[in-house]
Amino acid sequence: MKKKILVTGGLGFIGSHTVVCLHEAGFEPIIIDNLSNSQMSAMDGIKSLIGFEPTFVNANVNDKEVLAQLIIDHKPEAIIHFAAFKAVGESVEKPLMYYENNVVGLISVLEVMKEQVISNLVFSSSCTVYGEPDQVPVLETTPTKPAQSPYGATKQMGEIILKDNAAWCKTQCLRYFNPIGAHPTAALGELPLGIPNNLIPFLTQTVAGLRNELTVFGNDYDTPDGTCIRDYIHVMDLAEAHVKAVERLVHNKQEENFEVFNIGTGNGFSVLEVIQSFEKENNINVPHKIGPRRAGDVVKVWADTTKVNEVLGWTAKRGLDEMMRDSWNWQLKLQNN
Ligand code: UD1
């Protein structure tokens, strides 16, 4: 019988790709998602890729009764907890909403796990916990910096809570760098609500004619071309990292109950390099201008991936060109629907 994995936020951007990869790796994903930042169309994409609709419950993870019943009914081996808000700017405007969803939500999940005696968890953390690092690339041991936003604070608090519960809950804490791209078939991708804040959805919407122009936020940073540097990672690589983390948990291979991994490629690219790569790969012009810096932006951050390569046995396989191609194909698919 297939091992079941409960995926909270399984219809979101990273969650939906992970559901597909879990199925391909021989697991049975069970989804709980309240559609607060996702859409049922993601289920159509999942269905088209795996051939059937996985079990899905439309509920908030804070609803402990529903979560407990789902666990009683399906007895999952592990939980991947994606369900959380992720917009930095919005978190500054609505901090309580972020603490409620991201921190109280995690506590609810843990309480139900403890009650139902489930002790395997994969947690979505973020490179945002490093803040503006003193040195790049960052290692998992690089000291974290005070959070720049309530969103960042919720990720740091999540890590602390999980570390404090490591006596009974085995956790794989994955620090994502900048997830972009889409499924290579364009069956799944990111569905940003409203005007996107993040670079790639804004860029693809601009090229598609939905926005006038992309603004590059500052070109006077201390980097080779003056624009900020990030470690962009293909969402399929990221999804595959979750499968590795789940396998490590269910096969009891953890060396410590609380383990942290950087999930990046190990390569940093500037905003202008991303634009150039998009233009070259898709043979299309990206209308853009240089604007002022965006408040709160880190200048440069990319991952040291030695630990995740060696210990988790995972390496990112897809390059920036592939990320650009798949992101654009996804935008084209959205346009044609
Ligand atoms: C932020 C968070 C990250 C979170 C991610 C997803 C930090 C340090 N990072 O990433 O943890 O997972 O959001 O919500 O808080 N840019 C432009 N023009 C645009 C948009 C972006 O030039 O219109 C630039 C930004 O200045 C930045 C880069 O593109 O240098 C990437 O920005 P973005 O996609 O928003 O992600 P981060 O801010 O790096």
Side-chain angles (χ1 to χ4, degrees):
M1 215 174 69
K2 286 183 171 187
K3 288 188 164 69
K4 295 183 182 182
I5 309 296
L6 181 59
V7 185
T8 78
L11 294 181
F13 176 40
I14 306 169
S16 58
H17 290 80
T18 301
V19 161
V20 170
C21 290
L22 283 169
H23 166 77
E24 284 167 359
F27 293 103
E28 182 181 338
I30 309 286
I31 300 173
I32 179 168
D33 194 307
N34 68 351
L35 299 172
S36 64
N37 195 17
S38 57
Q39 293 174 29
M40 274 315 283
S41 58
M43 186 59 100
D44 299 334
I46 292 171
K47 222 164 105 181
S48 75
L49 290 167
I50 71 173
F52 68 97
E53 193 169 311
T55 303
F56 163 63
V57 172
N58 181 347
N60 193 316
V61 288
N62 288 10
D63 190 332
K64 287 199 216 169
E65 263 178 48
V66 172
L67 192 60
Q69 196 55 52
L70 199 57
I71 290 174
I72 291 164
D73 291 346
H74 295 280
K75 301 182 180 50
E77 298 275 331
I79 297 184
I80 307 182
H81 182 44
F82 289 111
F85 292 139
K86 60 169 186 180
V88 175
E90 183 187 55
S91 78
V92 176
E93 281 157 37
K94 301 174 184 169
L96 287 177
M97 190 174 99
Y98 271 68
Y99 290 113
E100 169 74 21
N101 197 42
N102 296 9
V103 180
V104 178
L106 173 64
I107 294 171
S108 282
V109 170
L110 285 171
E111 283 173 347
V112 176
M113 283 175 71
K114 189 153 196 217
E115 185 189 291
Q116 300 301 328
V117 203
I118 295 193
S119 56
N120 291 325
L121 182 73
V122 181
F123 178 64
S124 303
S125 189
S126 165
C127 69
T128 196
V129 300
Y130 295 113
E132 181 73 64
D134 295 330
Q135 271 190 326
V136 279
V138 287
L139 292 143
E140 288 80 353
T141 48
T142 298
T144 58
K145 292 281 182 69
Q148 298 291 315
S149 67
Y151 162 75
T154 66
K155 292 298 167 190
Q156 292 189 336
M157 286 176 191
E159 289 198 4
I160 293 167
I161 291 166
L162 291 166
K163 216 169 168 179
D164 287 345
N165 280 278
W168 66 272
C169 185
K170 288 191 293 164
T171 299
Q172 296 274 291
C173 175
L174 306 185
R175 289 180 178 162
Y176 313 154
F177 281 68
N178 284 54
I180 61 169
H183 195 276
T185 62
L188 290 173
E190 192 170 4
L191 287 165
L193 295 177
I195 301 174
N197 293 307
N198 297 117
L199 178 61
I200 295 305
F202 201 100
L203 186 158
T204 56
Q205 289 192 6
T206 303
V207 177
L210 301 173
R211 316 264 159 227
N212 289 335
E213 199 172 31
L214 170 74
T215 301
V216 175
F217 295 140
N219 69 346
D220 57 353
Y221 285 104
D222 179 20
T223 60
D225 66 19
T227 64
C228 292
I229 297 177
R230 297 286 184 276
D231 186 339
Y232 295 92
I233 168 143
H234 198 295
V235 66
M236 290 300 294
D237 277 323
L238 184 52
E240 287 164 13
H242 288 80
V243 173
K244 287 278 187 191
V246 162
E247 285 170 344
R248 190 166 169 82
L249 286 167
V250 301
H251 297 137
N252 243 324
K253 292 202 172 130
Q254 299 229 155
E255 283 154 20
E256 292 161 37
N257 269 9
F258 179 79
E259 290 184 333
V260 181
F261 294 106
N262 279 343
I263 311 293
T265 64
N267 302 309
F269 290 99
S270 72
V271 180
L272 290 178
E273 284 174 326
V274 169
I275 294 173
Q276 280 154 14
S277 167
F278 185 93
E279 290 182 329
K280 186 166 151 274
E281 191 55 35
N282 298 305
N283 200 16
I284 192 164
N285 179 48
V286 179
H288 65 280
K289 64 167 188 216
I290 305 295
R293 291 180 174 195
R294 178 171 73 175
D297 261 337
V298 162
V299 182
K300 50 187 173 188
V301 62
W302 62 93
D304 182 300
T305 60
T306 312
K307 182 179 174 193
V308 71
N309 299 159
E310 289 176 1
V311 180
L312 195 59
W314 170 89
T315 306
K317 295 191 277 236
R318 298 157 180 93
L320 191 63
D321 48 353
E322 202 167 337
M323 301 183 214
M324 294 301 122
R325 194 169 61 236
D326 291 339
S327 296
W328 180 231
N329 283 337
W330 169 244
Q331 182 66 46
L332 289 174
K333 156 94 183 289
L334 287 177
Q335 301 288 111
N336 294 334
N337 273 351

